[in-house]
Amino acid sequence: MKARYNPMELMITIAARNLEDGAMVVVGTGVPCAAAMLAQMTHAPNLTILFEAGGVAPILPTMPISVGDSRTTHKALKATSMAEIMELCQAGIVDYCFLGGAQIDKYGNLNSTIIGNDYYKPITRFPGSGGANDLASLCWKTLVVTPQNQKRFANKVDFITTPGYLQGGNSRYDAGLPANTGPFKVITDIGVYGYHTETKEMMLLSLHPGKTMTDVQENTEFEILIPDQFETTLEPTEEELKTLREKVDPTQVIIGRS
Amino acid sequence: MKARYNPMELMITIAARNLEDGAMVVVGTGVPCAAAMLAQMTHAPNLTILFEAGGVAPILPTMPISVGDSRTTHKALKATSMAEIMELCQAGIVDYCFLGGAQIDKYGNLNSTIIGNDYYKPITRFPGSGGANDLASLCWKTLVVTPQNQKRFANKVDFITTPGYLQGGNSRYDAGLPANTGPFKVITDIGVYGYHTETKEMMLLSLHPGKTMTDVQENTEFEILIPDQFETTLEPTEEELKTLREKVDPTQVIIGRS
Amino acid sequence: MNEKELHKGLGKLFGAPNTDDMRLFFKGKNKAMKNKLTSVSEAVSSLVMDGDYLAIGGFGGVRIPTAIIHEILRQKKKNLGFAGHVSTHDCQLLSAGKCFNRCDAAYIVGLEARGLSKNARRIFESGDIEITEWSNAALAWRFKAAAMGIPFLPARVMLGTDTFKYSAAIEMECPFTQQKLTALPALYPDVAIIHVHKADVFGNCQINGILVADDDISKASRKVIITTETIISNEEIRREPEKTVIPYWYVDAVIEVPYGSYPGNMPGEYFSDETHLKKWLLAEKDQETFEKFIEHQIYSSADFYEYLEKNGGMNNMKELVRLEHLY
Amino acid sequence: MNEKELHKGLGKLFGAPNTDDMRLFFKGKNKAMKNKLTSVSEAVSSLVMDGDYLAIGGFGGVRIPTAIIHEILRQKKKNLGFAGHVSTHDCQLLSAGKCFNRCDAAYIVGLEARGLSKNARRIFESGDIEITEWSNAALAWRFKAAAMGIPFLPARVMLGTDTFKYSAAIEMECPFTQQKLTALPALYPDVAIIHVHKADVFGNCQINGILVADDDISKASRKVIITTETIISNEEIRREPEKTVIPYWYVDAVIEVPYGSYPGNMPGEYFSDETHLKKWLLAEKDQETFEKFIEHQIYSSADFYEYLEKNGGMNNMKELVRLEHLY
């Protein structure tokens, strides 16, 4: 029997549900943008979408290919500079950002700079922070959407490009980062994770239908906290799938990746 | 015999001559603006005029009444913010500014804040710094055009609103103000003054035709340095007067004040 | 730091540059794009509280929110603070209403080339007003720091002067160059009142000509009241996204007030009414005359339109439009 | 400061944030408004020197000065430094030419959603390049500090991370709130190369759509080279002074280069050539293929127009114009 939806469609739908009406979100290309568009077309028509390169609240006619391309200012409310977008975030205006990375640890720290033990002689060089460090430092809540596997969910990231809860506890705040900010949820192809209120360790919130605790454990190098009670992820509704497939991504650029 | 020009016309002409072609100057309303316009229409067609409120290089159709009014952006090259103009000055782009004040001392410090010995109970309250402190701190050379008298040329200003050479010598630089900036010339109805290279005390550069050393001394509370040699101020040429009267200030708003 | 003595201004800081508190405030602000059209009296009564600290847009006699200031007088708002960065006719108005008890002063009591306000001077010389000194750039950068979400901005102004001494700035050393700098604390007003050329009902605003500090003021302030010459559609805003100076989420109230900058200049629309401004300076010379003058001009006017009518109405407005377009 | 340990990045600062030196430089720059029209080859040979530090306008694949970068490759400029703030196709090009030996890296070696450049990665993994880490905002604010004439800007990014550790930032304490902040040193590039929509012959420039950091970059840099889709008259510039992003006095050279952002997107004019960018990524998979590819595309092209011709000429440009105006 063919599944009613694929993992990508599930992740985008969950991400979209996390964006409430009246919120502001900085998105990148791909999944985050699809999630924000889906949210706007379903429960959050008043979601304001920002792009770090300067696009403010465009009416997106199609998925942008760059966070700075002309789609990001299509019928936008404002076209401005990267500095101004980042200053918005620094001032506390922006609720959400979406990030990814080559590695994530149990405190939600992200690596998108290098793989290897020696910074000066990396095995692999990645792009670096881009705006990720800024957005994760300055927006109120960081959402991560990523496929889950042992390599990616690492015991220790090779390089903290982008701050999660750093070393856990109050270390993020002690480092000087704005109060009450930090990783919010991690949405994978296996489940949805949050963070423990005090220790700031990653913690299971819901398992996707058909997924098991073994899937969680086998695809994570560190130990994920398992609370006594957790949910089963609500599946995408017919309306969500229809909107996603017909309006958000009709050419399957993103949802076709699954 | 009627004089060929009045003191205001003389002061504006001298001020204009101090603005070389290719320079940038921040001006206020009145005399400074008239001087900059006269310079543009005579020897300095490439003089760039800025207004602190945001007007950049307008083609001035008439004298503005406010440094922010719409004349200051008439056919301007740019209309921007006060912060951007001040940042230009801070970056070292701007050569000259023109200032005045209720009092000036021998180091060129200016007072436009209060008269009286107690800041909290002033005899007279004036507007305060406005942009004067900023421009005198940040532009390369400060020009002061002012009528000269004992009260105004004070031994000690009641309040240093705007920095000249502060306490003389290197004190201006030691205070943290940008290197090689400071008061350049003072143009009065009696003479033109500069500053001693080392002590930074005010020093006579030229006496206006018909004025005497007694005029200088009787109208100054402090002692003005008198070098062995000084010039007699060159009188306005016919061309300068014609341009000033017919093009710069045809309604005699400024030159009529004399 | 050896020989470098670091100074601290004696002046009072009227609000702490507490970025984390302000972040929380901005987080709580409703950011849905909803219709914010209201009236001048409603905006002032619901958004300007006694004791609030005001930031006034424009440049004293250029693009000023006159209707809002008049209403502040009529509603007898008291104990306000305000940022006096080239505060000319606005300072004169607030002084006429005895509305404030504190001021960050960069330029007050004067009307540029037009002269000084006798009444404003009297109030500032009375000793009843708490004054902290700044320069124009210092106030502009204090707004900018707040707009940027940082607690201070370094600058190279005010150093060595009494303006610094009576400010609330702090001297600091650059961590890279060890040079002395002035640290300017972020300034977060309670209410910004700004007059613009065009706005949509959500508060997306366009401004022609100079911005002065209004881009930063709108970002720095807890509440923002916009008066606008014209209401335009959201579609028109979206047609030229480069022109949006103030985006909707900062804005709490939008009121269409044609000729709203009168007697000030509105760049590209109408010139300042210099005759009317001279009347103000003249009336201030005698206390009794002045009280009658403001009673007639402001307190006895039901609204801004009655004030306009008392000052020549459309005939005079047309003349000011003509003057603006002379060149 | 007690418990607050203040950190300092280990990375190299490729230029000192020396405001007084830069003030002297800007003082010496000729500010007369003169005709600066020149050619791409002349601009590069006279203004880009071996060892110079570059700032490249636009956003990697959006509004990029492709013609100037190609010419930098053709003239075999070496030992350049550059600011990698979303440096995508520009980073790929400079890597293809082996033009640089140092980089302030915020975003390098990638092409956003399109993938990663194998050749650029090889160079950055070689150990031959000095790299200092930053975030996008950090680089944007470093340009802004320089543009503002201050040696540093405080910010709340990079704290607590390895990005900070391998940067050249310094942790500092706020003089008002005592909170920890990142001090970001002013960044003064030797040369800025920026592609704009419209410029006059003096260098007054208009940009449609996002600015990215180009307002600040033009102010921060010692020399500025502008390529423009169209030359317009000075009268047209003066008709809308609000639209002037870069004023003439910063600019050293102006060259009219229609389709100058190709294969990048030019907002409102033409879309990016995704097919061509895919060819780059594909060619990079094999070293020999890649060398032939860049020889054909760049080194053997006399100028930018020959490059455009090799990639479909006007037919392709028309298609990209059509794609841009689909919505």
Side-chain angles (χ1 to χ4, degrees), chain B residues 14-20 25-27 32 35 95-100 104 110 135-136 139-146 182-187 192-193 195:
Chain B
I14 300 165
R17 288 177 188 158
N18 272 284
L19 303 170
E20 73 272 18
V25 57
V26 180
V27 302
D95 301 286
Y96 297 99
C97 66
F98 270 105
L99 298 174
I104 184 169
L110 292 163
L135 298 173
C139 297
W140 290 99
K141 294 172 182 174
T142 301
L143 285 158
V144 171
V145 183
T146 181
F184 178 53
K185 285 186 186 171
V186 181
I187 298 159
V192 179
Y193 309 91
Y195 294 85

Side-chain angles (χ1 to χ4, degrees), chain C residues 133-323:
Chain C
E133 298 292 321
W134 303 93
S135 64
N136 273 347
L139 286 186
W141 287 325
R142 291 187 63 199
F143 288 129
K144 191 173 284 294
M148 291 175 75
I150 46 179
F152 80 96
L153 261 174
R156 308 191 71 184
V157 298
M158 305 208 306
L159 292 158
T161 64
D162 290 323
T163 304
F164 183 97
K165 184 175 171 187
Y166 293 96
S167 78
I170 295 180
E171 248 181 52
M172 67 171 294
E173 213 180 46
C174 173
F176 296 93
T177 63
Q178 277 69 53
Q179 74 196 98
K180 275 189 195 170
L181 296 164
T182 299
L184 299 166
L187 172 51
Y188 293 103
D190 294 305
V191 195
I193 56 178
I194 300 175
H195 186 64
V196 304
H197 289 79
K198 295 175 179 178
D200 69 13
V201 300
F202 309 109
N204 295 295
C205 303
Q206 297 179 347
I207 290 173
N208 299 332
I210 54 170
L211 298 177
V212 194
D214 298 357
D215 47 348
D216 291 322
I217 285 175
S218 62
K219 294 175 185 170
S221 302
R222 285 177 177 81
K223 296 169 277 183
V224 177
I225 301 174
I226 297 292
T227 59
T228 175
E229 289 291 320
T230 323
I231 295 286
I232 58 173
S233 68
N234 185 253
E235 285 67 32
E236 195 173 331
I237 290 285
R238 290 184 185 276
R239 218 166 283 142
E240 290 184 272
E242 299 87 355
K243 288 193 78 167
T244 307
V245 174
I246 304 173
Y248 74 89
W249 59 81
Y250 294 111
V251 176
D252 296 275
V254 179
I255 311 114
E256 189 175 46
V257 185
Y259 305 103
S261 178
Y262 178 87
N265 170 215
M266 191 67 183
E269 304 293 326
Y270 45 89
F271 202 64
S272 46
D273 187 345
E274 293 303 321
T275 312
H276 183 68
L277 290 171
K278 275 199 193 96
K279 275 188 199 163
W280 267 83
L281 291 176
L282 199 65
E284 287 183 323
K285 296 200 172 177
D286 175 73
Q287 192 61 22
E288 204 180 323
T289 311
F290 183 53
E291 273 163 28
K292 280 184 195 155
F293 178 78
I294 56 173
E295 178 62 33
H296 169 68
Q297 290 285 346
I298 301 173
Y299 292 110
S300 76
S301 296
D303 58 22
F304 188 69
Y305 301 110
E306 200 178 323
Y307 164 72
L308 290 185
E309 282 309 318
K310 286 174 180 170
N311 291 285
M314 274 311 289
N315 275 323
N316 189 30
M317 298 309 126
K318 282 197 150 174
E319 172 60 13
L320 298 174
V321 169
R322 190 188 68 79
L323 283 175

Side-chain angles (χ1 to χ4, degrees), chain B residues 51-54 80-91 134 138, chain C residues 59 85 136-145 148 153 210-216, chain D residues 147-149 219:
Chain B
F51 290 90
E52 68 175 70
T80 182
S81 64
M82 186 192 278
E84 188 169 359
I85 299 294
M86 294 301 189
E87 288 157 17
L88 282 184
C89 297
Q90 196 163 241
D134 311 310
L138 305 173
Chain C
F59 196 76
H85 63 126
N136 273 347
L139 286 186
W141 287 325
R142 291 187 63 199
F143 288 129
K144 191 173 284 294
M148 291 175 75
L153 261 174
I210 54 170
L211 298 177
V212 194
D214 298 357
D215 47 348
D216 291 322
Chain D
M148 292 176 76
K219 293 175 185 171

